[in-house]
Every structure is written in structure tokens, then in C-alpha cells.
Amino acid sequence: MGKRRKAALRAFGLLLVLAVAVLTLRKNLPDLGQTLDVLRSAHPWWLVLATAAEMTSLRHFALQQRRLLAGFGVRMSVPRAIAVTFTRSAISFSLPAGSAVSAGFAFRQFRTAGATRRSAGAVAVLSGVLSGVALLVMYGAVVLIPRGGATGNTDTLILVIAMLVIAGAVFLLDFLLSPRRPTPPPDLADEDPDETAGRIARSRAAVRRTWDDLRRLPKRSWVLSLVHATVNWGLDFACLAATAAAFDIDVSLVRLATVYLTVQLVRQIPLSPGGIGVVEVALLAGLVSAGAGHGPAAAAMLVYRLLSCWIIIPLGLLAYATLRRGPKVPDTPPLQPPAMANHR
């Protein structure tokens, strides 16, 4: 009965989102022929920049996971971290309950790399917490940009180029600060949750464990992880801005960032795998509400979702094949710290 109720709630939520979109777009739905004409008129260099921004964004999501693992004394190569990121993204976008399956896949990959159960779970939880904070930081940074610019002018070009330069600098900084020898992890023993406790008690215990895990992490690890997460969101937004510029959409960066933030919040509602269908409708409605033309808005939505979602699915399958063929690391706990060592 619980599953049926959840399915009914998801269906109701999906219908609600669609109803809001229809009210926003009523009598103004983009014509298919007009959309195809706009797609053919896209400025190719903006599309190149959008693609570069999105692929670099995924790399920094992988680096965020890798940096958190390193904080717990677990080493994972950059290529393997990127392969795990593409695979789990493809899982999240394509399967029912994809987010949960994706988290389980990442947990197993962290364990294979040498993390304890507690450390692997801590990486998954802390990654989500820091990503949420980073999204708000990114939005606040865009709001501080002087108003008056439009996505099709120099402001967007400066934004995209600046984000790519910052991404390269952060990658170099992460490389320079990475230890050349395995570092002992924080003292983080496995714990079995108390199944007899109530839901509120378990939630409080989970929050307390997350806070304790964050405090045990070296400051360098969680700060760099937060920076990677912020760059990840910034590059994904830069992809949307460059895509909008490719179709001459004249919307200020602040309004575009508000649309982007709203879409990301809608995406968190598990109405469909990866938000497919819901995100497209919400993004289209947001762009039109912000003042974009209907044909350009539809074209920008299609290209952005192609780069940020649809193309990730086949790339994730290829990445999964490389993980299957790659060497298997024994599922053992990481190196234990020596007695009396200071890990903070």
C-alpha cells in the first residue's frame, strides 16, 4: 500500500507541474517548425563553449567525490572517479528510483576503493550536503554580478570563460595539494544504526553523525570539496547561459540564474528518473516567463538537456564498461592510523 501511495503522490506531483507549465505556456506553446528553424540557426561557437562547460562540470563533480574520499584516507584515480561519475549519472537519469540506485552504486565503488562502510556512507551524505550549500553559493555569486547584461552579449562570454579558467585553476590547486603518500584517515569506525529507535531519533542520530564526520575531516578536504561543488554548479549554469546565447535569448544572467535555481529545486522532487519530462517543462516555462521567445526557449531547452542529461546516458554505459574491465581492488578498509596520531 505504501508503494501505491508513493506512486500516486508522484503522479499527482507530475500532473501539478504539468498544469503549472500549461498555465504558463497556454496559447504560446512553441511551434515545432519554428523550433527546428531556430536550432539550425544556432551559433556554433556558443555550443562548443556550452559543451566544454558541461563536460568540465562533470569532472569537478568527480573531483568532489575524490577529495572527500581522500579526506578519509581512500585514494581513487581521476579517470576512475570520472568513470564512476558518468556511470552513476547515467543510472540516475535512466532508471526508476535512479537516485537511490545511483547512490548504492557509488557506495559500492567507494567500498571497492578501500573505504569502510561508515566512510563510504559519510562521503555520500557529505557530498549531498556540500552540493546543496554550493548551489546557494553559486546563485549568490551570480546575483552579485552587475545588472544590465544579457546572455547573448559579452557578459555571458566573460562568465563562461571565467568559469573554465577557474575550473582549471581549481584542478591545478587540487593536484598540488594532493598528498604524494597515502594519509591516515580519521578514526571513523563502522556503526550499525539502531533499528529500534524512532524515526525522529534516527534522524537526529544521522544529523549528529554527519556533523561529526565533517568535523573529523581535514579542513583542506571539505573546503576543496565545497569549491569543487561550487565550480560544478557554476559550469552547469554556464552551459545553460552559453546555450541561451547560442539562440540569441536576451535574458539577464540574474533572471536566468533564478530560472536555473528553480529548475534544480524542481529536479529534487523524485517524480521521474533524472527529472526527465519535468525538468524540460519547468525549464521551458521558466525561460518563457523570463522573456525568451518561444522558439529560442524550446531550442535552448533541448540543447541544454541534451548536453546535461541525454548524452550522459550512453557515455555512462561506456564508462561502466571500462569499470567492469578495469582491475578490481579488494574490498578492504583503508589504512588505519598509527596510535596517538593527530588527524585534524
Side-chain angles (χ1 to χ4, degrees):
M1 185 67 180
K3 292 183 178 180
R4 292 181 179 178
R5 184 175 301 173
K6 289 181 179 179
L9 288 175
R10 289 181 180 179
F12 174 77
L14 182 59
L15 290 174
L16 181 62
V17 171
L18 292 175
V20 172
V22 169
L23 290 175
T24 304
L25 299 171
R26 58 183 178 182
K27 299 181 180 179
N28 290 313
L29 289 173
D31 177 74
L32 178 60
Q34 180 187 7
T35 301
L36 293 177
D37 290 339
V38 174
L39 284 170
R40 285 191 287 266
S41 68
H43 302 296
W45 281 110
W46 280 115
L47 299 182
V48 171
L49 287 174
T51 303
E54 189 59 42
M55 293 301 106
T56 310
S57 169
L58 287 166
R59 184 183 69 176
H60 279 272
F61 180 71
L63 292 175
Q64 182 205 18
Q65 315 292 300
R66 182 173 179 268
R67 173 50 62 179
L68 285 174
L69 285 170
F72 290 109
V74 181
R75 302 189 70 179
M76 179 180 284
S77 68
V78 174
R80 185 173 183 86
I82 292 175
V84 170
T85 294
F86 272 89
T87 303
R88 65 178 299 187
S89 298
I91 292 172
S92 177
F93 293 152
S94 58
L95 296 179
S99 297
V101 178
S102 171
F105 171 80
F107 179 86
R108 290 192 297 273
Q109 290 297 317
F110 299 159
R111 291 281 284 147
T112 299
T116 63
R117 285 187 303 158
R118 173 76 181 273
S119 296
V123 169
V125 173
L126 290 175
S127 174
V129 171
L130 293 175
S131 291
V133 173
L135 177 59
L136 297 179
V137 170
M138 185 279 296
Y139 179 73
V142 174
V143 169
L144 294 177
I145 295 176
R147 303 192 178 212
T151 59
N153 65 9
T154 307
D155 288 347
T156 299
L157 181 61
I158 293 174
L159 170 71
V160 178
I161 297 298
M163 285 307 310
L164 290 172
V165 171
I166 291 172
V170 171
F171 179 76
L172 178 60
L173 179 65
D174 188 285
F175 174 78
L176 294 176
L177 293 179
S178 296
R180 298 297 175 261
R181 297 179 181 178
T183 55
D187 185 11
L188 208 63
D190 285 337
E191 291 183 5
D192 292 324
D194 185 4
E195 299 296 341
T196 62
R199 180 177 299 178
I200 296 178
R202 290 200 302 269
S203 298
R204 288 177 178 173
V207 171
R208 186 168 55 251
R209 283 196 304 270
T210 301
W211 175 248
D212 290 341
D213 295 344
L214 186 60
R215 292 179 58 193
R216 287 189 177 99
L217 268 181
K219 185 176 180 180
R220 176 190 302 175
S221 294
W222 67 262
V223 169
L224 277 175
S225 178
L226 179 61
V227 171
H228 282 307
T230 305
V231 172
N232 167 37
W233 287 117
L235 286 165
D236 190 52
F237 171 67
C239 173
L240 176 60
T243 303
F247 300 104
D248 296 317
I249 294 178
D250 186 16
V251 178
S252 72
L253 290 177
V254 174
R255 296 190 70 179
L256 189 64
T258 302
V259 171
Y260 178 82
L261 178 64
T262 303
V263 170
Q264 294 305 324
L265 294 177
V266 169
R267 183 180 175 184
Q268 304 310 310
I269 305 173
L271 300 176
S272 63
I276 292 179
V278 178
V279 171
E280 285 81 358
V281 170
L283 180 57
L284 179 60
L287 290 174
V288 171
S289 298
H294 306 107
M301 177 272 292
L302 290 172
V303 173
Y304 170 73
R305 286 297 281 170
L306 173 67
L307 295 175
S308 64
C309 176
W310 305 331
I311 201 172
I312 305 301
I313 296 175
L315 292 177
L317 293 176
L318 293 175
Y320 180 69
T322 64
L323 290 173
R324 296 271 296 179
R325 291 199 306 266
K328 299 295 185 293
V329 181
D331 185 10
T332 56
L335 179 67
Q336 294 299 318
M340 303 301 294
N342 184 3
H343 312 305
R344 303 188 65 173

